[in-house]
Amino acid sequence: MLVIREPADRAGTRFDLADELTIGRAGGCGITIDDTFASQLHARLFRDGDHYFIEDLGSTNGTHRNDQPVSGPQQLARGDLIRLGNTVLEFT
């Protein structure tokens, strides 16, 4: 599950995980965020076996996992924080 931690007005919003979903401002994304610093199609979350991974999709401002830039798919662990623009999601 992903839970929005920031911005405060959306904090606590939860999203169930699928085998693959996209995150961004575009209406067709699995998780649509209203953040002008996020790209239309910003990042992809996907499952490979028992593990989930995050990857940036060439976004303008980048994707960060635990304040480190994401370059290529990175495996997620419970409690990891994913930042896209001004939006922070926690992987639970």
Side-chain angles (χ1 to χ4, degrees):
M1 177 173 293
L2 288 176
V3 180
I4 293 181
R5 295 298 177 211
E6 295 177 26
D9 65 336
R10 296 211 50 211
T13 304
R14 299 174 177 272
F15 300 95
D16 290 326
L17 300 178
D19 286 339
E20 180 176 344
L21 58 87
T22 52
I23 307 168
R25 289 184 301 140
C29 289
I31 297 177
T32 303
I33 54 175
D34 183 22
D35 184 334
T36 57
F37 292 98
S39 296
Q40 292 289 319
L41 192 59
H42 196 106
R44 176 174 81 114
L45 182 92
F46 65 96
R47 185 170 73 179
D48 185 4
D50 292 335
H51 303 284
Y52 279 93
F53 294 81
I54 187 77
E55 71 177 333
D56 186 76
L57 296 176
S59 68
T60 302
N61 294 312
T63 301
H64 294 77
R65 181 179 65 89
N66 299 327
D67 292 323
Q68 298 299 313
V70 170
S71 58
Q74 292 190 7
Q75 185 175 332
L76 293 171
R78 180 170 280 160
D80 279 353
L81 297 176
I82 302 163
R83 183 171 50 81
L84 308 95
N86 292 321
T87 302
V88 177
L89 303 120
E90 180 180 358
F91 179 76
T92 61

